[in-house]
Amino acid sequence: MNSADTTLKHYFVSHEQQFDAAKLGMWLFLVTEVLLFSGMFVAYAVYRSWHPEVFLQASELLDWRLGALNTVVLLASSFTVALAIHFVQKGQNDKVIGFLILTLACAAVFMIVKYFEYSGKFSHGVFPGAGFEPHGIVDGKDYSKYDIPFAPQFFSIYFVMTGIHGVHVLVGMGLFGWLTTRVARGHFSPQYYTPVELTGLYWHLVDIIWIFLFPLLYLI
């Protein structure tokens, strides 16, 4: 073992063992994330089974076009982060930086769309829970007619699920920014790129969760 190799921790015998241990740890973390969102999906399923007509009507206040745009953006980001992992394995760090920046840009677009979506709802009194007082007319749609029993439950679930997902997107943006600076400083090579791959795994989960959120909240 090369004593100058600072990327290999002293308690591992090889880079392969270190990578496998780190990947196992990430998979265990992702399992806890799946459990977190699974609880919210169960809450959605229960409330929807109790009030299907209300959930269907309340979902009309969500713009499926914005949801579809964010779906396309996140799918594109999954592709770019996969390319970043591919090129870091090849040692082509200039391309890695480019694809990490593209991934970060896609995440930023996602959050900008959510900002306009949230602010549009808030400006017309569409809040979670007791603050739910829809009013105004948007695109010929009278929001006040959606002030019906159990509609607040739908929007409470909507804001909690998409809000927590948004926090995960922000965390991912921070990680991609951090990775970009480290790649630029030459911290990664074909022999050591563990943080890049682990962040990619995390990001793929964030994308998969949105793929479930989009149809459940916007389409059905």
Side-chain angles (χ1 to χ4, degrees):
M1 182 181 71
N2 185 359
S3 59
D5 186 0
T6 59
T7 63
L8 180 62
K9 303 301 182 183
H10 69 277
Y11 38 82
F12 293 108
V13 298
S14 66
H15 281 288
E16 290 76 13
Q17 185 189 56
Q18 179 174 264
F19 175 76
D20 290 341
K23 199 168 185 178
L24 176 61
M26 175 54 74
W27 277 114
L28 291 174
F29 168 73
L30 296 181
V31 168
T32 67
E33 292 290 285
V34 169
L35 291 174
L36 168 66
F37 280 95
S38 294
M40 290 183 279
F41 282 120
V42 169
Y44 169 89
V46 170
Y47 276 100
R48 188 181 181 92
S49 67
W50 288 346
H51 314 288
E53 299 85 0
V54 175
F55 270 51
L56 183 61
Q57 186 175 353
S59 67
E60 295 175 0
L61 290 181
L62 302 180
D63 190 338
W64 69 268
R65 293 165 296 185
L66 294 178
L69 172 61
N70 267 348
T71 302
V72 172
V73 166
L74 283 187
L75 288 174
S77 72
S78 271
F79 180 64
T80 55
V81 77
L83 288 174
I85 295 170
H86 170 75
F87 285 113
V88 76
Q89 293 171 341
K90 301 290 185 181
Q92 301 179 36
N93 283 357
D94 289 343
K95 292 182 179 179
V96 176
I97 291 172
F99 283 114
L100 286 176
I101 291 174
L102 282 175
T103 306
L104 183 57
C106 287
V109 170
F110 179 92
M111 293 307 299
I112 290 170
V113 171
K114 292 308 294 181
Y115 167 78
F116 284 109
E117 192 174 3
Y118 274 27
S119 61
K121 294 294 176 287
F122 293 158
S123 65
H124 293 282
V126 180
F127 291 95
F132 185 75
E133 293 184 21
H135 60 267
I137 297 176
V138 180
D139 296 331
K141 186 179 295 183
D142 184 0
Y143 271 43
S144 61
K145 78 172 187 177
Y146 295 91
D147 190 6
I148 54 179
F150 304 109
Q153 278 81 353
F154 171 84
F155 282 99
S156 293
I157 291 172
Y158 164 77
F159 282 115
V160 168
M161 295 183 78
T162 59
I164 293 177
H165 179 266
V167 170
H168 283 73
V169 174
L170 289 174
V171 170
M173 292 176 67
L175 290 172
F176 289 127
W178 171 70
L179 286 176
T180 302
T181 59
R182 290 196 63 186
V183 174
R185 294 172 182 171
H187 291 178
F188 302 124
S189 67
Q191 290 72 42
Y192 176 73
Y193 54 88
T194 302
V196 181
E197 177 139 347
L198 298 188
T199 302
L201 285 174
Y202 168 83
W203 193 248
H204 290 319
L205 179 67
V206 172
D207 294 352
I208 290 171
I209 290 170
W210 179 257
I211 288 173
F212 283 97
L213 289 177
F214 170 56
L216 289 176
L217 296 172
Y218 291 80
L219 301 180
I220 64 174

